[in-house]
Amino acid sequence: MIDPLSDVFSLLDIASARCTRFEVGGQWAFRFPAKPALKFVAVLRGACLIVLPDEPPFALVAGDTFLLANAPAYVIANDLDCEPEDGDRLLRLGAFRHRSPRWRRDGADRRQLRH
């Protein structure tokens, strides 16, 4: 039996997918550019905010998901006072450096990427 989300993906003729586990500690904020892509995100633990253009911040907690079709630029953060970093660049660096779908930073050293 196919679930409803799989039905949507098959209707959209999804050609490729990238799965990345994003684990962050401390205070953080990351911005992601607009992309002509479908983005599906699930919050597994903790809480954060998503900020979309011309919208107020929206709180997300463990168990929440969001789907962005033709994804606009957005910010995810646990502290809106932090200057957002380029999340796309950091995810690419972590994936190439560690050959892993997991990206982790513990918050003690903002530059540290761990696998």
Side-chain angles (χ1 to χ4, degrees):
M1 181 175 185
I2 296 179
D3 62 275
L5 193 55
S6 293
D7 284 341
V8 170
F9 289 164
S10 67
L11 286 171
L12 295 173
D13 195 26
I14 302 295
S16 66
R18 179 177 94 184
C19 180
T20 303
R21 185 175 177 130
F22 186 63
E23 299 175 5
V24 190
Q27 284 88 15
W28 53 269
F30 297 97
R31 72 180 173 286
F32 293 91
K35 286 190 176 180
L38 184 69
K39 287 198 171 198
F40 177 75
V41 178
V43 179
L44 302 178
R45 276 194 319 213
C48 64
L49 300 159
I50 180 170
V51 184
L52 297 164
D54 303 319
E55 297 289 332
F58 187 83
L60 300 164
V61 297
D64 287 343
T65 60
F66 65 87
L67 180 68
L68 299 173
N70 199 20
Y74 67 97
V75 170
I76 55 171
N78 73 350
D79 184 344
L80 294 178
D81 290 330
C82 289
E83 180 66 30
E85 296 180 67
D86 183 343
D88 219 27
R89 184 183 71 78
L90 292 173
L91 288 175
R92 280 193 316 273
L93 285 174
F96 290 133
R97 197 174 282 166
H98 301 298
R99 305 272 188 249
S100 169
R102 177 182 290 186
W103 187 90
R104 181 184 303 158
R105 186 168 65 196
D106 64 12
D109 179 353
R110 292 182 59 91
R111 295 165 294 158
Q112 181 180 11
L113 294 175
R114 295 189 323 177
H115 170 65

